[in-house]
Amino acid sequence: MPASVHSQDNDQSMMDANAAEQNEVLQLEEKRIVVLPGATDTAASFQFEGEGHTLGNALRYAIMKNPGVEFCGYTIPHPSESKMNVRIQTYDTTTAIEALEKGLDTLMDLCDVVTDKFTTARDAFNASQADKMES
């Protein structure tokens, strides 16, 4: 078999392996948040894989800031499992999924503000330390 054909076979099998790996990652990411059975448009429970109190409490706070949300709470079903459940009930003006999306966006914006303020304060501190070292 010519070397070029053998090389093409190896390239194809590498591309197939990469595609399979990417599909596995996508499948894992898709299942990171699952809508639990019994959901309606205005009331739903969501299960987050690999999350705990840190995200749960912050997300609950962000979602409750939405005036279209009637109730939001979270639970950790069992400490030995890394799962977190969020329950959202909304008024007729919005859906539970929209409230979750808005809450996640709000939380991301809040994290961006904290990161910016931290970076600014750290840079100012480092500059003051450098000035002290030069003096």
Side-chain angles (χ1 to χ4, degrees):
M1 180 182 296
S4 63
V5 171
H6 191 311
S7 175
Q8 287 174 349
D9 288 345
N10 282 342
D11 290 346
Q12 183 61 41
S13 63
M14 267 183 109
M15 288 190 317
D16 289 344
N18 286 341
E21 185 176 315
Q22 286 176 343
N23 283 339
E24 286 178 24
V25 169
L26 288 175
Q27 287 175 351
L28 287 176
E29 288 176 2
E30 289 173 8
K31 294 181 181 180
R32 193 101 195 264
I33 303 174
V34 177
V35 180
L36 296 176
T40 65
D41 283 346
T42 59
S45 294
F46 305 90
Q47 186 170 72
F48 289 71
E49 290 287 331
E51 298 297 342
H53 290 287
T54 303
L55 178 65
N57 196 36
L59 186 58
R60 181 202 56 78
Y61 175 80
I63 291 171
M64 283 304 298
K65 289 292 195 183
N66 182 344
V69 173
E70 182 178 10
F71 169 82
C72 181
Y74 81 96
T75 62
I76 306 297
H78 194 277
S80 67
E81 296 179 34
S82 62
K83 295 180 182 179
M84 184 244 330
N85 295 340
V86 174
R87 174 77 177 170
I88 302 172
Q89 290 174 215
T90 65
Y91 298 108
D92 291 335
T93 57
T94 188
T95 68
I97 291 175
E98 289 170 350
L100 176 63
E101 289 173 348
K102 185 175 180 181
L104 289 168
D105 288 341
T106 299
L107 193 54
M108 286 187 344
D109 292 344
L110 179 64
C111 288
D112 290 342
V113 168
V114 170
T115 299
D116 291 344
K117 287 189 179 222
F118 172 80
T119 302
T120 302
R122 182 200 60 205
D123 293 346
F125 175 77
N126 287 343
S128 72
Q129 293 300 310
D131 290 344
K132 286 180 183 178
M133 297 298 277
E134 290 175 2
S135 301

